[in-house]
Amino acid sequence: MNRQRSFIGFIVAGAIALLIAIAGFYWFFTKSPANLIASTSEPGAAIFVSKLSPAMVSLLTNPDRLQALEREEELSKLKTSLFAKSGIDYKQDVQPWLGNEITLAITTLDIDRDPENGQQPGYLLALATKQPEKSREFVELLFSKRALSGATLDVEEYKGVKLIYDNSQPEKDLLAGAVVGEGFVLFANDPKVLKDAINNVQAPDLNLTSSPEYQKATKELPKGGLAVAFLNLPVVAKWQGLELSEQLYNSEIISLALNPKGLLAETTFLTSSEILTPSTTLSKPVEALQYVPASAGLVISGSNLSNLGESDLAKLWKQATATIYGSGEDVVSRLAKPLVDVQKRWGINLPEDIFSWVQGEYAIALLPEKEQTTPHWIFVVEKSESVEQGIARLDAIASSNGLSINPLTIDKQKVSAWTELTTAAKKSDAKEGASFSIETKVRGLHTTLGNYEIFTSDLETINEILTTKDNSLIDNPNFQDSIAAIPLPNQGYIYLDWTKSQNLLERQVPILKLVEVLGKPFFDNLRSLTVSSYGTDTRSLKGGVFFQLKNS
């Protein structure tokens, strides 16, 4: 029988943390964020979860503390929909006893370990209780209502814990529940899952808290995080039927914490073996950003592109995309499609022909425009001997592709342009015969400003850089607020202005539209997001994503 569907209702309860993060963080900041800091950074329910569990997600605060959502009735709607079919009244039956933790875990990939009847994942939902007697009354009430709806109930004593579960038909929803000790109410989609949870408590070497990977991961958690997730990456890949060509990191831990300007999601990937020395760290944003206009929608900045393919971050990205998509597909190439188009049109290899000679600071930017589907691009690189050689190489490649290198002057600045001559037919009288005009198309430009060489896709973009020098991204208050939340030193930034890049991203990553529908209130109020990696541990890679919200 397929029992994955049977636990959907209670999966929603465990996913309250994610839904609230998507639907309501905007309103949190109009209130007092200090009131939403969790009392603990580690989920207590980890003692019920096997150390072989693929994933565990925890909300570390009582959902009723998130009353800022009541303005739009998002939380009320969620509570109502969750208990609508069960006949349970949240305010009367759940609110009095619900504590400060909701944890959802996938405990096993197959409950009965029988491949013949398909994969049947085990789900465990743990709700912290502050009034054990009240929570016992709730469990009794819930199952009595299920009995009235036709379910056949069984009651079993297992190692001192009373288990209640139904023996519904395979097509019906199955549920098992118990109150364990004085701290938690447990629900599962099979009584075997509850028994395993109890065994994990009584045999500590079985549960997640005994895992060295988990112990190391929890040390990376910030204090006062609102939610936390732990992923066993090899098991997650197996769950999705994937075979990773390269397995570098074993586990990942993610935490969500509030910031006066937005939401910071920190993640740490851990491995049991030594990995490459972390990439070059920066104690401040690269000065190359001073040549990126504030109108940029997507910006990637850092130092040393020459070893990008062999960096920890590149290997991490390869594993992440393989886990998500089932292949090593480079999703970054979708976001930076204009650069990929240049690569194809010129017949070049970006890592070999460009990245290999960028050993200093760099900044790559896309400037989306509503009027056109292809955004303009900017590439800023710190000058060095290798850069001079790289430019000469690009000039040679341009010439071999039939382009001319022509000098221009824009706002008294000398610029080199790669141009192409094309012909276009003119409208003319039939008696006079065909008439043509010759047009010059600019395929790229570059110029030197200070200690930096700047490449752009078109005249309009380089003109914007030269004529609006006081309106750079690095001086933009929104950008400053975003990077202020990222620890220093770090390996640079990926900055995405959501309001400017939304249309571009939706075209390149179609599934994003579905995510936006599910999290409409959040995306409606998202101003930007900033990604960075930091840390110097050779056995882990740490990074963060900062979501900046409007009116925060």
Side-chain angles (χ1 to χ4, degrees), residues 224-404:
L226 194 64
V228 62
F230 180 77
L231 305 177
N232 186 327
L233 297 178
V235 184
V236 170
K238 182 180 178 181
W239 180 31
Q240 298 182 63
L242 305 177
E243 292 185 9
L244 302 181
S245 59
E246 184 174 9
Q247 182 67 51
L248 181 60
Y249 296 99
N250 301 322
S251 59
E252 176 188 7
I253 195 160
I254 307 167
S255 67
L256 298 178
L258 296 177
N259 178 289
K261 295 293 183 179
L263 168 69
L264 179 61
E266 281 198 326
T267 183
T268 302
F269 291 82
L270 301 108
T271 178
S272 55
S273 59
E274 290 286 337
I275 59 177
L276 293 176
T277 303
S279 303
T280 305
T281 57
L282 302 168
S283 58
K284 62 179 181 178
V286 297
E287 295 183 12
L289 290 169
Q290 66 182 301
Y291 300 110
V292 175
S295 58
L298 173 66
V299 181
I300 304 173
S301 65
S303 178
N304 193 0
L305 281 172
S306 62
N307 69 338
L308 181 64
E310 297 300 320
S311 68
D312 295 345
L313 191 57
K315 290 190 175 183
L316 168 63
W317 182 263
K318 183 177 180 180
Q319 175 174 301
T321 53
T323 302
I324 296 171
Y325 292 95
S327 70
E329 179 182 6
D330 187 2
V331 181
V332 168
S333 65
R334 293 184 178 186
L335 302 182
K337 191 174 182 297
L339 299 181
V340 176
D341 291 342
V342 170
Q343 178 176 253
K344 292 180 180 179
R345 184 165 61 244
W346 284 33
I348 62 175
N349 181 287
L350 286 176
E352 294 179 8
D353 296 324
I354 297 181
F355 294 169
S356 62
W357 46 263
V358 180
Q359 299 177 359
E361 294 183 1
Y362 68 88
I364 303 171
L366 299 183
L367 284 70
E369 286 194 1
K370 294 181 180 179
E371 294 77 14
Q372 60 184 50
T373 57
T374 303
H376 304 311
W377 55 262
I378 299 171
F379 180 40
V380 184
V381 55
E382 187 177 10
K383 293 199 68 175
S384 66
E385 184 178 344
S386 62
V387 170
E388 296 291 342
Q389 296 171 353
I391 294 173
R393 185 174 181 179
L394 288 180
D395 284 342
I397 292 174
S399 296
S400 67
N401 280 278
L403 301 181
S404 301

Side-chain angles (χ1 to χ4, degrees), residues 133-150:
E133 288 304 318
K134 285 281 187 182
S135 55
R136 288 188 177 88
E137 293 174 6
F138 167 74
V139 173
E140 298 282 350
L141 174 65
L142 175 63
F143 280 94
S144 65
K145 289 183 177 292
R146 292 177 70 86
L148 292 174
S149 298

Side-chain angles (χ1 to χ4, degrees), residues 9-27:
F10 282 90
I11 287 177
V12 174
I16 283 179
L18 178 59
L19 292 176
I20 286 174
I22 292 176
F25 275 112
Y26 167 68
W27 289 283

